Amino acid sequence: MVIAQRGLADARVADIAERIDVSPALILYYFESKDVLLGEALAHKDRQFFDSVEAAMVDEPSPVRRLALLIEASCPTGGNGVGIDDEYVLWIEAWARARHDKDLAQARAEMDTRWRTTIADVVAEGQLAGKFDAAVPTDEFALKLAALIDGLAIQVLLGDEIRPGDMRRMCLDAAAADLGFTLTQAEI
């Protein structure tokens, strides 16, 4: 993905067109700007992410394991262009551009809402099953965990001191502390 590899500013429409074997005019016909193209690319990657996560969780009855699967799926590898890494690079571009583009801001908000709702739903299921502290506000927890995941993912992608395994452990530890469960090897 050209935008993920080069960044939005350095991704030329001609390069994107060449990568997917179409004319630049065709891209400009369907996407009025690179910001619109970024939003569509991110939405596509986001759908792929949710399809993958939902497939992994469909037969998993343990709320603890379902939450662990969400966290694990959200951890970048720290490499270039591998799995979730591409999506995070697009997210970084979108976060920067959304402040100046109302359509991209709306698309970003909708995707963030879906992510936090997914987390909140898993927590609510765990609360109903008696596995998570029922007093924890699900929406507040989801916002906190999503922010922790996003912040740590940026550090992993930038090659800072946080490695993917560290990120996973920190997120799981924070979730366990907030939701009042203990992690066992069978569940993680």
Side-chain angles (χ1 to χ4, degrees):
M1 163 155 288
V2 175
I3 296 172
Q5 291 171 343
R6 296 185 186 175
L8 189 64
D10 292 334
R12 298 177 321 141
V13 171
D15 298 329
I16 297 166
E18 182 180 328
R19 173 70 61 90
I20 59 175
D21 199 27
V22 299
S23 74
L26 186 61
I27 290 177
L28 293 172
Y29 177 79
Y30 285 102
F31 306 101
E32 64 187 54
S33 69
K34 286 197 299 185
D35 284 342
V36 172
L37 185 59
L38 170 62
E40 290 298 323
L42 181 56
H44 174 73
K45 282 292 203 181
D46 203 51
R47 284 188 300 273
Q48 286 179 330
F49 170 80
F50 278 105
D51 289 348
S52 171
V53 166
E54 288 168 3
M57 291 191 327
V58 72
D59 293 325
E60 181 53 63
S62 166
V64 172
R65 183 67 188 133
R66 288 169 63 87
L67 187 60
L69 285 168
L70 279 177
I71 290 169
E72 188 171 311
S74 302
C75 293
T77 64
N80 265 335
V82 177
I84 190 80
D85 293 21
D86 273 353
E87 185 174 349
Y88 270 116
V89 172
L90 294 177
W91 271 109
I92 291 168
E93 295 283 344
W95 287 325
R97 297 294 310 147
R99 293 192 62 218
H100 308 287
D101 183 296
K102 67 180 175 84
D103 294 332
L104 186 55
Q106 180 180 343
R108 182 222 49 86
E110 290 169 3
M111 286 182 274
D112 272 345
T113 297
R114 180 178 183 192
W115 173 229
R116 289 190 306 269
T117 299
T118 300
I119 295 169
D121 288 349
V122 170
V123 172
E125 291 167 11
Q127 288 172 326
L128 285 173
K131 299 293 184 181
F132 299 151
D133 182 348
V136 174
T138 58
D139 290 341
E140 185 177 308
F141 173 80
L143 178 61
K144 181 179 177 182
L145 182 62
L148 178 63
I149 288 170
D150 289 343
L152 289 173
I154 290 169
Q155 298 300 306
V156 170
L157 287 171
L158 293 177
D160 287 351
E161 295 177 21
I162 305 297
R163 294 184 316 265
D166 298 330
M167 176 185 167
R168 181 178 181 273
R169 180 187 46 76
M170 286 183 221
C171 291
L172 284 169
D173 288 349
D178 285 0
L179 297 173
F181 66 88
T182 55
L183 295 169
T184 66
Q185 287 302 96
E187 292 177 309
I188 59 169

